[in-house]
Structures are given as C-alpha cells and as structure tokens.
Amino acid sequence: MDGNEAQIEVRGLRKRFGAVTALDGMSFTVEPGQVTGFVGPNGAGKSTTMRILLGLDRAEEGSALIGGRPYRELRNPLLAVGALLDAAAVHPARRGRDHLLWLAHSHRLPARRVDEVIEQTGLGPAARRRAGGYSLGMRQRLGIAAALLGDPPVLLFDEPVNGLDPEGIRWMRGLLRSLAAQGRAVLVSSHLMSELEGTADHLVVIGRGRVLADTSVRELLAGASGDRVEVRTGEPDRDRAMTVLADAGATVAATGRGTLTVSGLDAQRVVALLGGAGVAFSGVAAHRATLEEAYMELTREAAEFAAGPSGPSGPSGPSGPASGEDRR
Amino acid sequence: MSGPGPGPGPGPGPGARAGARRLGTVHAEWTKLRTLTSTWWLLSAVVGLTVAAGVAVSGSLTAGACPVPAECHEDTVRIGLTGIWLGQGAVIVLAVLAVSGEYGTGTIRAALAAEPRRLRLLAAKALVVGALTAAAGAAAVAGALLAGRRVLAADGFPLPALTEGPVLRAAAGTVLYLVLTALLALGAGAALRDTATAVTAVLAVCYLLPLLAGLVSEPEWQERLLRLAPSTAGLAVQATANLDGLPIGPWPGLAVLTAWTAAALAAGAAVLCTRDV
C-alpha cells in the first residue's frame, strides 16, 4: 500500500448540486495520531466532503484518498476506514446488535468482534433492542460501534456530539482523544467550534466549499488578536484610566457602563499603571481568546459574504442543498 | 463505559481474500434480511396466500358441470396454482423493500461503505432475495398443488400424475416465475429508490396491465397485451392443458417476463452505479 495507511488526503475537490457550488477546490490532509477538527457553518461542505471520501458521492474534480487509495478501490474498506455519517441511519426494526452483525459479516469478522465494540461503546443491553427505540445518544454509540468494528486506522465522524447529553459529550471527547492516542487519523466535523475545544489538535476550517484555515489549534489561538484585559472602573475615573492606558500604548475601548476593554497590555501591567496613577478600579480580569472567538474572527469574512446575498442560493443558508443535513 | 482499548484488531487475516469478501457481501445481505421480522411475515404470506387461494378456487369448482367427471377438461394444475396471483404481491413487497428500505432508513450508505463496488451489492441482494423467494415459492407451489389435488379429487376430478411433464413444468415454472418477479421488483426498487413509488409501479405492471387487457375490446390488442404483460405472459407456464388456446406458449411467456426483469435490473444497476446516495 502506497502512502501511510492512516492518512486522509483531499486534493482539489469540486462538486456542484445544481446551481450551488458545494465544494470549490477543497484540499487538506489529515495526519495520524491526532484529532483533526473539520469546522464550518452548515452547508460549508463538511458532509459532502465526507461522503466523497467514502465513495458515496462523486466529485466532479479532484481526489479523495485514504491511505493513498480512493475508497472504491479499498479491498476491505471497513478495515481501512470507520465512519459515522448519520447516526439515524439504522433500520428501526433491526436490533442494534444485528446491525453490527451484518456489517461484521460483510468483512468476515467474527461475532466476537461485535460484542467487543458493543462493550467498548457502552451500548450494553440496549444492543438487544430494536434500534427504532433508541435515544439519539444510543444511536450515536451504535454508529460509533459500527465505525470501530474493523479496528480501522482512519476514522471519520460527522457531527458526533450533535444531540448528546453532557455525559455523552464527555465520553465522546475521551473516545476521540484515545483513538488519536492509538495513532489513528481522526477527522471530526462540527459546526460549533466550541465542541472541539479541548478535543482537536488540528483544525481544518472551511467555508463555502473551500478551506479557510488549516492550522494547529495552538497556532490559531496564538494568532487570534485575543489577549485582552477588562477593567471595571467607576464613572469619574473612567476617562483618566483611558488616558493613562492609552498613553502606555494600549488600545482602549469603553465596552460597557464602567467597563473598559484593553488590548496591548497584560493584566499585571494594567494594574501597575492604574495604581501608579492613582486611578480607582474595582476589577481587572484577563480575557484569553477562546477557540470560538478565534474561529469567529477567522470566518467573519466568509460569514459576512454569506449573510449579504441572503436567499435560498446562499451556500450557508439553512436550506442550502449542499448541507448534508438537508439533502436526502 | 470503558475507553477504547487497543483492541485485538481483526487484522487482514483470511478475510483479505477477495473471494471471501464477495461471499461476505452475500452473507451480510442474508443477515440483513433475516434480522427483519417483516421478511418472515412476507415469506409466510407468500406460502399462506398461495395455498389458501388455491384451495378456495379449487373448492369452487364442481365436477357436476361436466357430463362425466372423467371428461372434464379443466386445467386442474393451473387452477390449483391460481393463488400465485396473491402470493406474488408479498414477493413484490419483500423484494422492493430489500433495496428501497435501505434508502428509506439511510442504511444504503453503510451498505455501500461495506461494499463500495455497487454492482456487487446489487448482485448479492438479488442472490439472497432470489434464493429466499425460490424457497418460499417451492413451499407455496408444493402446498397449493397438494392441497388443490385433495379438494379436486374429493370432487371426483380426474387428476394428472404429479410426475407428468406438464405438471412438473407448471410447478418449476411457477417457482421460476416468482423468482423473476422478485428480481423485477428488486430492480425497480433500485431504480426508483422509494418504497411507495416502486411498489406501486411494480403492482401496476403486474396487475393493472392484465386488467387493462380485459377492458380492451379489440381482440387483437387484447391478446397483444396479454402476451406482453409480465404476469400473464409469465404465468402461461402454469398451463398443462389446452396449450393452443394460450396467447403465448409456456416458455416464451417466461422469456417475456425475463426480458422485463432484465430491463428492471439494468435500470436499477444504472441508477445505483451512477447516482450519489
């Protein structure tokens, strides 16, 4: 097998649904041993990219390779890639265990393996019940169990925490981390950056069918014009505080009644400056950029474009046909 | 709730062999069908409806209408197998659901993830649905023939031996008819993807065309319709007497049905292989 088998390589994918361009030159790679977050608003092309990776949809241009091969050429695809696309995609009249069993049979995997993934995902006795009666959380676990069945080096999860309760989200995060720690390539899509905070090592941020940023989480946070300090101070001292801090080279903005937002100085320096000038204040708090803020900053441009010509053809519109949630 | 252990990976092992994989896809389709209770209800319906309707129709015949019972020229075998008209309905629903049910529930994506070569998936489905239909069809035909004979014998009808050529042709041909109808429905399910649409389309072709033929007043057109409709043409294979009076011969009739089936499967394969799912 040429190339690392635990690698995803997407090059120049283009795809249109009617008049809407779903993918417009999508390119990125996913490396083993880390969780790569695949982030963008609904309709940005996350699900379409994943469907193309799995050979379900055809791209008009470009290539989507897993371990150096297109999906359709994989000999034993479930041993190469595990995917959770849509947790609701199980037959409601079939028992959860039977759903896993037919997948196992397709690759001549023993029934023992089915019981292992049932154990691993905590599906437990629910596996003996019909999937139609499952909660969303149980469906997600069943979908994860199906993805893990072939013990694949590459995993694709489309919005895996969507609809999970807090305990389920915690479990999912731990699972994603440990899968990456085992050296697998893990691609996780989400339309909420906050869902990936503390989980993803690397981010591929997309909008309107193309990659906006392909960066490590650390770099993204560092690059965000993030570190600000909030100063609470009373009315009479506010103007003096602004003058003192501005003179020291900070950018100061009055962001609320009695609140100043200062950037360009750290909290310790702000306290020292205000104290030295005898300005009274009731609080100084450092404010670190969150992943969400860094992401918002990054996507503002794309979002503004999308919000402009609103209408059914807007690629980010909730009814955008490129959105995996809406298409079917 | 355990974290994922490294797991005793199944590894490539013997499963990596291509031949074993092909069997795997058939095995998976069999597991899929057998784990749905609806499959067993529908297969029971094939047998139950075919036998029950055969007995009812056979029982409605009276040898008293003939001057001497021994001179009755009724095609008793064909009459005993009339229930196929009901049984095929269940076969059609079963076969359509084997494909359209996957689109309806979204499991088609998992199926194609497990077997990305789409023609192979369709072939595996056809094999499993065909085999199940053949088994149920054989039971239905045997049951209907034996039960029908009992009823007719009690009425004093002369009955041909079960080992006679035309009787065997009718029996085997009817099983074949059901299998071909199942594959026709399977192809329609793959081509149309939606259960309601596909079931309606196949039922219309199998039931409405013959009905339409009955409404046509022009005898030439009527015969043409009966020769071209998959059900009436295909069921000519059930005839054991008065073969000259048939609109189409037993084997040519089955060939007409085969052409319909081939067309439906080709359409299904084309849609499956070219469209996104």
Side-chain angles (χ1 to χ4, degrees), chain A residues 187-250:
Chain A
L187 183 66
V188 183
S189 82
S190 176
H191 60 279
L192 295 174
M193 183 65 100
S194 54
E195 285 179 352
L196 295 168
E197 188 134 35
T199 307
D201 308 288
H202 196 89
L203 291 171
V204 174
V205 181
I206 67 166
R208 294 185 286 130
R210 49 169 58 220
V211 174
L212 300 177
D214 186 342
T215 170
S216 75
V217 169
R218 194 174 307 152
E219 280 168 22
L220 180 67
L221 284 176
S225 62
D227 294 7
R228 302 190 301 273
V229 177
E230 285 197 348
V231 178
R232 302 196 141 269
T233 174
E235 196 59 60
D237 289 300
R238 208 178 70 165
D239 291 347
R240 282 190 53 222
M242 285 181 85
T243 314
V244 168
L245 294 171
D247 286 351

Side-chain angles (χ1 to χ4, degrees), chain A residues 115-140:
Chain A
D115 296 320
E116 280 169 12
V117 292
I118 287 173
E119 170 86 9
Q120 188 178 343
T121 51
L123 208 54
R128 301 263 168 200
R129 299 210 312 266
R130 290 173 190 225
Y134 282 16
S135 66
L136 189 51
M138 280 196 283
R139 278 171 198 237
Q140 296 279 29

Side-chain angles (χ1 to χ4, degrees), chain B residues 14-260:
Chain B
R17 288 202 310 272
R21 271 285 288 124
R22 252 195 305 275
L23 282 179
T25 302
V26 174
H27 192 179
E29 288 306 316
W30 159 240
T31 306
K32 258 188 232 175
L33 272 185
R34 83 172 163 75
T35 53
L36 290 177
T37 23
S38 59
T39 302
W40 303 109
W41 282 114
L42 286 165
L43 289 173
S44 310
V46 174
V47 180
L49 289 172
T50 305
V51 174
V55 167
V57 175
S58 299
S60 69
L61 284 184
T62 46
C66 309
V68 190
E71 279 173 25
C72 269
H73 294 297
E74 298 291 347
D75 187 343
T76 50
V77 172
R78 178 167 212 173
I79 287 164
L81 292 175
T82 317
I84 285 304
W85 280 101
L86 284 183
Q88 71 172 0
V91 166
I92 289 167
V93 173
L94 174 76
V96 165
L97 276 177
V99 186
S100 68
E102 295 237 87
Y103 284 98
T105 57
T107 49
I108 187 68
R109 293 183 183 167
L112 286 175
E115 179 51 275
R117 276 153 293 194
R118 298 184 175 192
L119 275 184
R120 258 186 216 180
L121 181 68
L122 190 64
K125 282 185 184 296
L127 194 67
V128 172
V129 168
L132 276 178
T133 306
V141 166
L145 278 182
L146 294 177
R149 281 172 82 81
R150 224 157 212 237
V151 173
L152 291 170
D155 246 353
F157 277 93
L159 296 170
L162 282 174
T163 49
E164 269 178 36
V167 179
L168 290 177
R169 180 184 62 210
T174 302
V175 175
L176 212 51
Y177 169 87
L178 281 180
V179 171
L180 287 167
T181 303
L183 298 183
L184 166 72
L186 187 89
L192 300 169
R193 296 183 165 199
D194 175 64
T195 304
T197 313
V199 167
T200 308
V202 181
L203 290 182
V205 164
C206 289
Y207 291 100
L208 275 188
L209 280 184
L211 273 182
L212 212 62
L215 296 177
V216 172
S217 49
E218 179 78 44
E220 195 181 323
W221 272 100
Q222 188 175 37
E223 195 158 300
R224 210 167 276 170
L225 267 176
L226 292 175
R227 271 203 302 267
L228 289 179
S231 47
T232 44
L235 285 176
V237 84
Q238 291 185 335
T240 58
N242 317 320
L243 290 187
D244 295 340
L246 293 172
I248 191 166
W251 295 119
L254 217 48
V256 169
L257 172 59
T258 307
W260 278 87

Side-chain angles (χ1 to χ4, degrees), chain A residues 15 55-58 71-72 75-77 89 94 98 102 105-109 116 120 141 151 171 175 178 182 328, chain B residues 1-2 4-5 8-10 15-16 20-21 24 27-28 31-32 35-36 105-107 113-114 117-118 273 276-277:
Chain A
K15 170 124 186 128
L56 299 173
D57 283 12
R58 237 183 259 268
Y71 193 88
R72 288 180 198 218
R75 278 257 147 272
N76 297 285
R94 197 175 276 128
D98 290 336
W102 75 255
H105 285 161
S106 77
H107 280 56
R108 317 300 275 171
L109 300 175
E116 280 169 12
Q120 188 178 343
R141 284 173 198 264
D151 196 19
W171 170 78
L175 178 77
S178 66
Q182 290 161 12
R328 201 109 64 82
Chain B
M1 212 123 350
S2 67
R21 271 285 288 124
H27 192 179
T31 306
K32 258 188 232 175
T35 53
L36 290 177
T105 57
T107 49
R117 276 153 293 194
R118 298 184 175 192
C273 289
D276 292 347
V277 293

